[in-house]
Structure formats: C-alpha cells, structure tokens
Amino acid sequence: MTEPRNDVLGWFVGHLEKDGQEYVFALNVEANMKANGSAASKIAGEVLHGMGLWN
C-alpha cells in the first residue's frame, strides 16, 4: 500500500489593481510531486508578468 500524498494539488488565488482596473485570478496546479501553493504562486507570477500586470 502506498502512503497518502498531500503534494499533488496547489492553489493561488488573488486580485490586483493596475491603472484603475481590478483583476481577479485563480490558479490550480496538479502534479505528481511538489504541487503546492508556492508552485502555483510562482506560475501565476510568471503569467501575470507576461501579461504586463505584475512587475
């Protein structure tokens, strides 16, 4: 029997304001290893940066 794992799901949810506009986002990460809120936060930051919303 394998041991239960708690590292297969991660969420990062938030909102930001830029130039008078408010943006709400949610990111869900699923993986076999190390999927957690920190991983989701990093990915969200990269996506938001690519959209010009996060420095």
Side-chain angles (χ1 to χ4, degrees), residues 8-32:
V8 295
L9 182 63
W11 281 94
F12 186 68
V13 180
H15 70 92
L16 59 94
E17 291 185 36
K18 183 169 181 170
D19 300 328
Q21 296 290 320
E22 184 174 6
Y23 300 89
V24 179
F25 58 89
L27 180 78
N28 171 260
V29 177
E30 294 182 32
N32 290 333

